Amino acid sequence: MVNIQKAAVIGCGFVGSTIAYTLMQKGVFSEIVLLDANHPKAEGEAMDISHGLPFSHAMDIYAGTYEDISDAAVVIITAGANQKPGETRLDLVQKNAKIMRSVISDIKRVRCEGILMIVSNPVDILTYVALKESGFPKERVIGSGTVLDTARLKYLISEKLSVDSRNVHAFIAGEHGDSELAVWSCANIYGIGLEEFAKMKGYSDFDEEKEKIYSAVRDSAYEIIDRKGATYYGIGMAAAKIAEAIVRDSHTVAPVSVSLGGEYGLSGLCLSIPSVIGRGGAEQVLEISLSEEENEKLKRSAEELKEVLGEIDFL
């Protein structure tokens, strides 16, 4: 039986440990179990985070085994090789697909019935691998997708237009990577069209600024990795937000990586698309009216991912 107050984090590197730390601060779970191929590393992270509980929320955080995650409501998978400077997310695919298969095999062995959230990169590819290897219903296997990219987009728009980022409504879709696209046709500031709001701020033509913003979003991970070696705070908060939407059954709309079955004319892959997230996982994939140009970019992004999927052994 699933314990809705229990989460598991598999992989205790920078990303996994940051997710666990963020979940502790949010206090939405009463139990968090950490797993890592290097068990002492998981123990150390559990100890370190637990020592902050007097300043936060009462819960149990410990290092465990796969047997400990059988009743977890949310299983967050971050295990995998890190993206190195100069390396694209798609370069990681073969070695991380192998790691993902091993992780999913153990999850199936203990008959876990929770929702799988894939954070390992390349996330859209590995979400599809996890879906196929697990045999779980598609709504129970989701990737963190472009949730972080979307946050980056909102932040950069807010900086450019000097407005609260929480009032910015815009999103990134497609691959969590180089072929992602900004869906400008839906972008608005508190219900005011982006172009109209930009004019209010003194921009007669915002197109050039949009291209700069998009490029900055797309290249953010490379820029951060070049400077500090890894990204983990932003994705830690993004993954925790998705987990919170599941456990609180909040029906939050977020561009997570989901299996497509004909939406946007696409199928046979996982792609980051706005979806309703609740207790059941990705409860509904939203088919939004995109501009003709955006539709084409989404299809090109899907084609690039399908080429990579064609190189995975199980296909």
Side-chain angles (χ1 to χ4, degrees), residues 27-52:
V28 294
F29 293 100
S30 60
E31 186 176 352
I32 302 174
V33 55
L34 306 182
L35 280 73
D36 196 272
N38 178 358
H39 188 69
K41 177 72 161 66
E43 289 179 321
E45 295 294 353
M47 291 170 63
D48 196 8
I49 296 171
S50 294
H51 294 166

Side-chain angles (χ1 to χ4, degrees), residues 150-196:
T150 292
R152 289 166 172 160
L153 178 67
K154 292 180 178 182
Y155 167 75
L156 291 170
I157 291 173
S158 75
E159 287 290 289
K160 184 63 65 175
L161 296 178
S162 299
V163 65
D164 190 333
S165 61
R166 293 169 296 182
N167 293 146
V168 178
H169 303 288
F171 65 93
I172 297 286
E175 175 206 357
H176 170 57
D178 297 339
S179 69
E180 66 188 22
L181 64 136
V183 184
W184 295 114
S185 62
C186 297
N188 68 82
I189 313 294
Y190 204 67
I192 303 168
L194 181 61
E195 303 288 347
E196 182 182 353

Side-chain angles (χ1 to χ4, degrees), residues 234-250:
I235 188 58
M237 289 184 280
K241 184 68 175 178
I242 298 168
E244 183 179 19
I246 293 169
V247 73
R248 295 196 188 282
D249 198 24
S250 61

